[in-house]
Amino acid sequence: MFRINDNFLKLNQSYLFSQVAKKINAYKSNNPGVEIIRMGIGDVTRPLAPSVIDALHKAVDEQASFDTFCGYGPEQGYRFLTEAIAINDYQSRGIDISPEEIFISDGAKSDTGNIGDILSLSNKVALTDPVYPVYRDTNIMSGRASDNNIELLPCTADNNFVPALPESNPDMIYLCYPNNPTGTTLTRSQLKEWVEYAQSHGALILFDSAYEAFITNDDVPHSIYEIEGAKEVAIEFRSFSKTAGFTGLRCAYTVVPKELKGESANGSLISLNELWNRRQSTKFNGASYLSQRAAEAIYSEEGKKQVSETINYYLRNASILRDGLKKAGLTVYGGINAPYIWVKTPDGIDSWTFFDILLTRCNIACTPGVGFGSAGEGYVRLTAFGSYEDCQLAVERLSLL
Ligand code: PLP
């Protein structure tokens, strides 16, 4: 009989969102007519920017003619998009990243999961806790690590959500800033410590900046490559999902600098850019032409304006929620440089109990923090991706707490 990949059996069963949905549905069927405000799921709700829609229409029309039809594109992404990214997201900030260092994909979830293909299974891994679960689960699936030999770096109010440097000498360190789920950030000098740690310990930083577009504070770096020496120790993941509402359309990118090298079994230094290029060319056939033309459109003057209006809309929601939660006597974190608000549960009650209280007293659905890791116990996450009207209504209902 053929064998399965037993590593999958080592995964924690992820009941989080199904458990949340089950509880909401049970409450709704016992209380018909009650309108629940859903602030649990991290998905956008605003339509795509008009510039993106125009670009999509144009790209669709191009497919109707022999002259402009597109078949397979380059696995690494079309040059028009890698160039627009290099210029707008990096060179305009004084960061020297070239189009050849940028790889377009269908999502940061795939890239953060797939990156392990080019790294040794013997590498040790460090993750922040709470964490976006993809980093942990993909390492367990590949057999690199089981749940109990990954070093977890707790991020709680006690350390102001700034992880302490690791103790186990990990080879791969996943950092996500602005952070999902806590909505907190690292300052430039805090991130510099991590780059210096990676340099001195021969570690690789996997830096997920899917929420970069929400950064408002000047001392929060937009890219890890703002830190000197980071190109030798870090891969950066970005996505158009939250930046421009592409969660349904799908487009993202990963930066693998030419300077970044890892050691092979015989001790020679190998370019990660070349390995990732080889991996993508073999296992990926490129993001669709349509989504890449759509992504390019966010870098036009109009596109930039429209996308930033949507980000500001979500940030205004976050600010309304933060104020309302504080008025209700709760302690809140995040929500300034991120669409997530991390709320301390009152009186030391656990995440799921506070989830129930918010659901039954205020008819607000959140996500229990413990679902993102044990250091998330005692917190819940609210997202600002809903409508302005719903956020205002949620604040009114919070007075019922
Ligand atoms: N990285 C983080 C931290 C996320 O929160 C998400 C989505 O929620 C992703 C990556 C996935 O992004 P994408 O839609 O590009 O796959």
Side-chain angles (χ1 to χ4, degrees):
M1 182 74 184
F2 67 89
R3 288 278 304 273
I4 57 144
N5 177 349
D6 281 279
N7 294 316
F8 278 67
L9 307 179
K10 298 178 193 154
L11 295 166
N12 280 337
Q13 286 308 319
S14 175
Y15 292 124
L16 181 64
F17 288 104
S18 61
Q19 188 77 5
V20 165
K22 230 194 229 162
K23 277 182 174 263
I24 295 172
N25 290 339
Y27 183 76
K28 276 186 82 166
S29 65
N30 291 333
N31 299 274
V34 167
E35 278 302 320
I36 310 281
I37 305 178
R38 290 174 187 265
M39 300 191 143
I41 308 285
D43 196 2
V44 293
T45 57
R46 312 284 297 162
L48 291 164
S51 299
V52 170
I53 297 295
D54 288 346
L56 278 171
H57 281 303
K58 184 161 171 270
V60 168
D61 288 342
E62 284 172 352
Q63 305 317 303
S65 140
F66 283 105
D67 296 335
T68 48
F69 164 78
C70 298
Y72 288 127
E75 292 96 347
Q76 301 78 4
Y78 282 99
R79 183 84 185 179
F80 62 76
L81 183 54
T82 52
E83 249 171 29
I85 291 167
I87 292 167
N88 289 283
D89 287 348
Y90 293 99
Q91 292 161 13
S92 71
R93 293 187 182 277
I95 304 167
D96 177 24
I97 291 289
S98 69
E100 293 75 24
E101 296 174 299
I102 296 166
F103 296 83
I104 309 298
S105 76
D106 65 342
K109 187 180 205 174
S110 332
D111 285 354
T112 52
N114 292 334
I115 198 73
D117 276 11
I118 63 166
L119 300 164
S120 168
L121 290 180
S122 66
N123 283 340
K124 284 188 283 180
V125 176
L127 303 176
T128 56
D129 176 14
V131 74
Y132 177 57
V134 173
Y135 317 146
R136 182 191 61 225
D137 287 355
T138 53
N139 276 291
I140 295 173
M141 285 174 182
S142 67
R144 178 168 295 106
S146 64
D147 214 3
N148 54 11
N149 69 6
I150 296 174
E151 182 174 357
L152 294 177
L153 310 168
C155 297
T156 64
D158 290 342
N159 58 10
N160 215 8
F161 302 94
V162 178
L165 293 172
E167 289 172 358
S168 65
N169 211 2
D171 306 292
M172 296 160 55
I173 301 164
Y174 290 80
L175 296 177
C176 171
Y177 290 99
N179 188 259
N180 178 16
T182 65
T184 59
T185 51
L186 290 185
T187 61
R188 202 163 275 110
S189 62
Q190 286 164 340
L191 188 57
K192 186 164 175 278
E193 279 190 43
W194 282 92
V195 170
E196 287 168 357
Y197 175 90
Q199 286 171 322
S200 60
H201 288 73
L204 171 68
I205 297 177
L206 299 155
F207 191 75
D208 185 344
S209 56
Y211 298 94
E212 174 274 336
F214 293 85
I215 293 172
T216 53
N217 289 2
D218 287 342
D219 64 347
V220 176
H222 285 256
S223 162
I224 194 165
Y225 306 121
E226 288 180 35
I227 313 290
E228 210 187 316
K231 287 175 80 178
E232 280 127 51
V233 296
I235 290 175
E236 180 160 285
F237 304 93
R238 293 254 188 118
S239 172
F240 296 97
S241 282
K242 310 298 159 76
T243 303
F246 276 48
T247 53
L249 193 54
R250 312 303 302 147
C251 199
Y253 66 87
T254 288
V255 182
V256 190
K258 292 268 169 76
E259 289 89 334
L260 184 56
K261 300 213 163 75
E263 204 176 77
S264 72
N266 70 10
S268 42
L269 289 181
I270 308 291
S271 156
L272 262 60
N273 180 290
E274 284 171 23
L275 289 188
W276 186 242
N277 191 31
R278 187 73 174 85
R279 190 268 171 212
Q280 291 297 80
S281 309
T282 303
K283 288 197 183 179
F284 183 60
N285 247 341
S288 84
Y289 175 74
L290 301 191
S291 64
Q292 292 190 64
R293 277 295 182 200
E296 179 196 25
I298 77 157
Y299 296 111
S300 67
E301 278 319 302
E302 270 305 292
K304 280 182 195 167
K305 233 173 67 199
Q306 292 162 357
V307 163
S308 92
E309 276 165 17
T310 303
I311 297 284
N312 288 336
Y313 178 96
Y314 292 134
L315 284 173
R316 180 177 60 158
N317 285 351
S319 160
I320 291 168
L321 280 172
R322 271 177 62 90
D323 290 348
L325 288 156
K326 282 200 256 179
K327 235 193 207 150
L330 295 161
T331 307
V332 300
Y333 305 93
I336 293 170
N337 299 286
Y340 297 121
I341 297 160
W342 194 240
V343 186
K344 183 93 196 86
T345 61
D347 309 321
I349 59 178
D350 65 81
S351 297
W352 276 110
T353 304
F354 192 55
F355 170 92
D356 287 333
I357 292 173
L358 273 181
L359 182 64
T360 54
R361 284 200 210 150
C362 307
N363 300 149
I364 294 173
C366 65
T367 309
V370 69
F372 298 99
S374 57
E377 181 55 283
Y379 296 89
V380 298
R381 188 191 76 174
L382 290 179
T383 82
F385 283 130
S387 71
Y388 171 70
E389 292 74 20
D390 271 358
C391 287
Q392 283 188 314
L393 185 58
V395 166
E396 280 171 34
R397 291 188 186 173
L398 283 168
S399 63
L400 302 170
L401 274 178

